[in-house]
Amino acid sequence: MTVRVRIAPSPTGNLHIGTARTSVFNWLFARHHGGKFILRIEDTDLERSRPEYTENILEGLRWLGLNWDEGPFFQSQRLDLYKTAVQKLLDQGLAYRCYTTPQELDTLREAQKARGEAPRYDNRHRHLTPEQRAAFEAEGRSYVIRFQIEDEREIVWDDLVRGKMTWRGSDLGGDMVIARASEEGTGQPLYNFVVVVDDIDMQITQVIRGEDHIANTAKQILLYEALGAKIPEFAHAPLILNMDGRKLSKRDGVTSISEFKQMGFTAEALVNYMTLLGWSPPDSTQEIFTLETAAKDFSFERVNKAGAKFDWAKLDWLNSHYIHSMPVDQLTDLLIPYWQAAGYKLDAERSRSWLEQLVALIGPSLTRLVDAIAMSQLFFSETVEFSDEAMQQIKQEGAAATLKGIITALENQPQLSQDSAQDIIKQVVKEQNVKKGLVMRSLRAALTGDLHGPDLIQSWLLLNQIGLDKPRLHRAITE
Ligand code: GLU
């Protein structure tokens, strides 16, 4: 049987790291088995769903390289299917209209709480007579549709990650609401119900999702049975935890894929890292791989039950790896939007070839793409601020004379090269009988405003090409 898996995000927020990691596992499983990966947007919550979130989710999945084979399907366009299914359960007597009011439910819950019991619906409207129903309707009560759950039922499945799972019907909170009140008779169907109707309709063979859905799975299995469908396999991936062992949340700063992108993580590093959030390859020393290579080895046998701790240091390490091994032209393409966002002018002087030289210079020092903003500021601003150290350096005895010497030498060398730059330094050392260190430090201080930074000669060449070196040297001696 062809493997068919799906990811079913709700567009009530931007693409979350947890959903993205679940997408990675689905994608890997589908590709490993030569199956299909389907995208379904669960937008039945009309109040909280927004088109911009759908857009963010699609864009995030595309950016990560998690291409889907079918969809996106939108639940909001499939309401007839759900209504037919609700009607089927009503007709079979497996579901019923429940007229219990919110106040009555509150009273019930309070009483249960007072007795130290877990809150649950007491199935009081399961067997209403037609007269009772008519009386409630005459009162103007609205209703929900509940699906019967037998307390004695034992629900068992063999989870692909967690092994044998057993639930009791009595743990599921009483007969479950599958549709809320609406104008039409069948109501507005809810998550646990529509997800099953869709998974049946889309012939999903494995439901791969986060561990927070385990209790839903128990309920959903009963719905598969009631709808007379084959039950798929289930795999519950471990939660993503922060370093304190708590579920990763908004409090941890970033949670959405677009935020990770803004922070300067590459798509390759992020998918690689997400693959490792809960899964390990057969050769556990192997940490760097593409989605395609991971797909060859992927199986749920190697997915952990325990929560996966989110390790920023490891993500940074992977990110530097991908940045450092990327061809310069590709890295340049990635950095341009960051420079633009920082307001740096990519004018005619800063040509593509100049930008690529800059990228070759700073690329090896980047951990996150965003680091390029601070690291290349000195190449985009007309003047530099001198740090205290740099100021001290250019005030040192002999420094000004050294810098003057460089300016004079530059008169004959307007277009600098690696060799001529080295020659100028040698020449000044000799003429003024000073240590090379003094020349290099003073030059660095004057050109970059700092005593630390990228390779000095390369930096000088870049500044020379855009005519910024001489003004900076002049300024340093007049400062
Ligand atoms: N819309 C649900 C979610 O985003 C889907 C869960 C599922 O995969 O069934 O959590």
Side-chain angles (χ1 to χ4, degrees):
M1 190 172 43
T2 314
V3 160
R4 291 175 61 82
V5 297
R6 86 314 189 259
I7 182 77
S10 307
T12 52
N14 287 335
L15 178 60
H16 187 274
I17 180 91
T19 311
R21 197 279 314 263
T22 305
S23 309
V24 169
F25 283 6
N26 272 281
W27 191 97
L28 293 173
F29 188 80
R31 295 296 169 256
H32 182 86
H33 293 280
K36 299 277 186 235
F37 173 52
I38 294 149
L39 174 60
R40 181 172 76 224
I41 302 293
E42 302 210 319
D43 58 348
T44 40
D45 184 342
L46 298 174
E47 266 156 45
R48 293 171 57 228
S49 296
R50 299 253 171 79
E52 57 269 33
Y53 293 139
T54 300
E55 207 32 64
N56 180 280
I57 291 166
L58 300 189
E59 204 182 296
L61 292 172
R62 277 192 210 107
W63 180 67
L64 291 167
L66 298 167
N67 53 317
W68 54 93
D69 305 303
E70 292 175 26
F73 298 108
F74 292 86
Q75 283 187 331
S76 56
Q77 294 165 10
R78 299 164 55 83
L79 295 175
D80 286 347
L81 191 68
Y82 314 134
K83 284 182 183 151
T84 311
V86 171
Q87 195 56 55
K88 186 172 163 188
L89 295 185
L90 284 170
D91 293 346
Q92 286 176 309
L94 298 173
Y96 60 90
R97 291 179 180 189
C98 163
Y99 296 88
T100 318
T101 63
Q103 292 77 5
E104 286 169 347
L105 287 174
D106 277 348
T107 314
L108 174 64
R109 236 174 271 129
E110 288 305 318
Q112 287 165 336
K113 216 163 116 193
R115 292 195 299 267
E117 293 168 9
R120 69 193 309 272
Y121 177 62
D122 59 3
N123 306 342
R124 61 178 68 169
H125 287 184
R126 199 191 260 193
H127 299 296
L128 293 180
T129 60
E131 293 73 32
Q132 286 170 311
R133 224 173 289 144
F136 284 135
E137 298 208 352
E139 269 177 47
R141 288 193 185 205
S142 68
Y143 60 85
V144 297
I145 310 283
R146 286 188 186 266
F147 169 69
Q148 294 187 22
I149 297 182
E150 302 309 331
D151 276 357
E152 314 71 54
R153 251 310 292 268
E154 203 180 51
I155 304 138
V156 183
W157 77 93
D158 192 12
D159 197 278
L160 294 175
V161 176
R162 310 177 67 87
K164 187 177 170 195
M165 303 289 290
T166 309
W167 279 71
R168 280 203 318 266
S170 54
D171 292 335
L172 297 177
D175 290 347
M176 73 189 266
V177 181
I178 57 170
R180 241 189 263 124
S182 80
E183 302 304 303
E184 306 117 273
T186 45
Q188 166 78 31
L190 298 183
Y191 162 73
N192 266 315
F193 183 69
V194 288
V195 82
V196 172
V197 174
D198 276 337
D199 286 342
I200 295 171
D201 184 63
M202 294 177 186
Q203 299 175 319
I204 299 303
T205 51
Q206 282 80 16
V207 172
I208 303 165
R209 60 187 168 197
E211 183 189 296
D212 43 338
H213 284 289
I214 289 180
N216 289 332
T217 296
K219 294 177 184 170
Q220 290 174 16
I221 286 175
L222 297 176
L223 286 167
Y224 278 99
E225 289 177 359
L227 292 166
K230 186 170 177 339
I231 300 169
E233 289 186 291
F234 292 92
H236 289 95
L239 295 181
I240 304 176
L241 308 175
N242 64 19
M243 278 316 229
D244 301 330
R246 279 192 288 268
K247 191 175 165 186
L248 195 76
S249 72
K250 278 258 178 277
R251 259 168 286 133
D252 296 295
V254 282
T255 47
S256 74
I257 294 303
S258 40
E259 287 168 317
F260 280 95
K261 184 177 178 192
Q262 263 164 26
M263 285 173 76
F265 291 104
T266 60
E268 294 84 350
L270 203 53
V271 276
N272 190 152
Y273 184 62
M274 286 193 289
T275 305
L276 291 170
L277 275 175
W279 179 73
S280 57
D283 169 6
S284 58
T285 58
Q286 192 198 351
E287 298 199 292
I288 289 169
F289 34 73
T290 59
L291 280 172
E292 284 73 18
T293 25
K296 290 203 183 84
D297 289 330
F298 188 81
S299 79
F300 281 106
E301 269 147 47
R302 302 196 60 83
V303 171
N304 281 328
K305 286 197 202 84
K309 278 202 178 158
F310 197 92
D311 180 350
W312 287 96
K314 183 138 182 196
L315 175 58
D316 273 336
W317 172 77
L318 280 168
N319 206 50
S320 348
H321 165 82
Y322 282 99
I323 291 180
H324 300 167
S325 41
M326 201 178 278
V328 167
D329 64 331
Q330 195 184 335
L331 185 53
T332 308
D333 288 342
L334 290 187
L335 291 180
I336 285 173
Y338 288 87
W339 286 322
Q340 283 169 333
Y344 293 174
K345 275 203 211 75
L346 304 185
D347 47 21
E349 279 177 324
R350 292 172 176 86
S351 62
R352 177 74 194 192
S353 109
W354 184 88
L355 289 174
E356 290 190 1
Q357 291 172 62
L358 173 61
V359 170
L361 177 65
I362 62 166
S365 314
L366 299 176
T367 300
R368 300 181 185 177
L369 296 170
V370 76
D371 300 342
I373 295 175
M375 248 179 242
S376 53
Q377 192 193 10
L378 76 105
F379 298 98
F380 287 98
S381 44
E382 285 304 301
T383 54
V384 289
E385 292 292 317
F386 294 110
S387 70
D388 291 347
E389 280 181 325
M391 193 53 112
Q392 270 175 18
Q393 178 64 37
I394 55 179
K395 295 258 179 269
Q396 259 193 26
E397 203 185 320
T402 295
L403 296 176
K404 272 190 206 135
I406 295 175
I407 294 172
T408 315
L410 266 177
E411 302 298 333
N412 309 319
Q413 287 287 353
Q415 195 64 59
L416 216 53
S417 69
Q418 179 83 22
D419 289 344
S420 57
Q422 296 284 5
D423 287 346
I424 290 177
I425 291 167
K426 272 190 218 140
Q427 190 187 323
V428 172
V429 166
K430 207 161 135 207
E431 271 171 16
Q432 307 199 10
N433 194 21
V434 287
K435 291 228 165 69
K436 189 177 176 195
L438 175 78
V439 182
M440 299 292 273
R441 277 197 305 277
S442 307
L443 182 61
R444 183 185 284 282
L447 291 179
T448 72
D450 212 335
L451 289 191
H452 315 276
D455 181 85
L456 177 58
I457 301 292
Q458 289 303 332
S459 306
W460 187 11
L461 295 181
L462 281 168
L463 290 168
N464 179 268
Q465 284 180 42
I466 54 172
L468 282 185
D469 58 339
K470 267 192 271 173
R472 287 193 190 175
L473 291 163
H474 276 294
R475 190 179 147 227
I477 46 183
T478 50
E479 197 65 25

